[in-house]
């Protein structure tokens, strides 16, 4: 899989309040640019069930026609021990970018992976992975969510990912 870290635009405290209440009236004061290029671990929790996702930059020329478009597109991959180890070993090591619970009672947590060595390890580990299933629109996308297929099956109905959760800065 061809992925890489990226510079992200994340919600400010005011933006988090809007995400919590599903308020779509966003302004420039609701977002800020994170320093450096990073991957992001993303955890969704609903009714005590946790699901992990990796948010990465995706080659913009890559697009696939499918039946399930989404805000941040999703790629399923077979469970991979190196990625599982990276999550287990590193997620608590990095600062939590934010945590909030939305109007649907889904808790969203996002961690920024700030060490270049760990980002390089993720890029290397994911390069060998063949996606199992992709849900991408026919238009190119700058960001993708990578989810182990065993993680994806945890929810019968996937929780909604807020539109303004994370964006790639246009550089």
């Amino acid at each position: 899989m061809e992925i890489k870290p990226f510079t992200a635009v994340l919600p400010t405290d005011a933006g988090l309040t809007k995400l919590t209440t599903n308020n779509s009236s966003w302004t420039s004061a609701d977002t800020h640019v994170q320093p450096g290029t990073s991957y992001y671990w993303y955890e969704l929790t609903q009714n005590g069930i946790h699901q992990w996702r990796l948010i990465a930059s995706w080659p913009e020329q890559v697009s696939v026609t499918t039946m399930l478009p989404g805000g941040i597109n999703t790629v399923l991959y077979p469970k991979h021990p190196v990625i599982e180890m990276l999550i287990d070993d590193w997620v608590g090591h990095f600062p939590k970018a934010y945590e909030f619970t939305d109007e649907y009672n889904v808790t969203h947590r996002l961690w920024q992976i700030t060490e270049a060595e760990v980002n390089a390890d993720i890029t290397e580990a994911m390069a060998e992975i063949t996606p199992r299933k992709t849900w991408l629109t026919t238009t190119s996308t700058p960001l993708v969510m990578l989810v182990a297929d065993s993680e994806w099956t945890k929810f019968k109905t996937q929780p909604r990912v807020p539109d303004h959760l994370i964006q790639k800065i246009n550089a």
Side-chain angles (χ1 to χ4, degrees):
M1 239 184 288
E2 187 184 344
I3 60 166
K4 61 184 178 180
F6 61 98
T7 301
V9 178
L10 298 181
T12 60
D13 289 340
L16 287 178
T17 300
K18 289 182 177 181
L19 286 176
T20 301
T21 60
N22 198 23
N23 181 337
S24 61
S25 62
W26 281 71
T27 67
S28 60
D30 296 325
T31 61
H32 68 282
V33 176
Q34 290 294 101
T37 59
S38 302
Y39 287 112
Y40 289 82
W41 292 131
Y42 175 37
E43 179 191 26
L44 293 126
T45 305
Q46 186 176 42
N47 300 325
I49 300 171
H50 306 274
Q51 182 188 82
W52 288 98
R53 302 177 180 199
L54 175 66
I55 304 176
S57 178
W58 183 259
E60 292 190 40
Q61 73 278 10
V62 175
S63 60
V64 179
T65 303
T66 66
M67 300 185 305
L68 183 65
I72 297 177
N73 296 307
T74 305
V75 173
L76 298 189
Y77 64 90
K79 190 170 183 175
H80 193 275
V82 173
I83 297 300
E84 302 298 316
M85 180 197 69
L86 287 169
I87 292 173
D88 291 344
D89 289 351
W90 288 103
V91 78
H93 175 77
F94 294 103
K96 192 180 303 175
Y98 56 75
E99 176 176 351
F100 69 96
T101 301
D102 66 22
E103 64 177 331
Y104 305 104
N105 206 29
V106 177
T107 301
H108 306 263
R109 294 176 190 89
L110 195 72
W111 287 264
Q112 180 180 13
I113 303 169
T114 56
E115 290 183 19
E117 299 82 19
V118 179
N119 283 314
D121 287 346
I122 292 169
T123 302
E124 182 180 343
M126 294 307 291
E128 303 299 318
I129 303 289
T130 301
R132 288 224 174 150
K133 187 172 188 178
T134 58
W135 286 302
L136 296 174
T137 62
T138 53
T139 56
S140 294
T141 179
L143 292 182
V144 67
M145 281 195 189
L146 306 164
V147 186
D149 45 16
S150 57
E151 286 286 309
W152 184 259
T153 60
K154 288 182 176 180
F155 294 117
K156 190 176 271 187
T157 302
Q158 291 299 310
R160 179 184 157 277
V161 175
D163 291 336
H164 297 282
L165 174 81
I166 187 170
Q167 299 165 354
K168 182 180 176 184
I169 191 166
N170 295 324

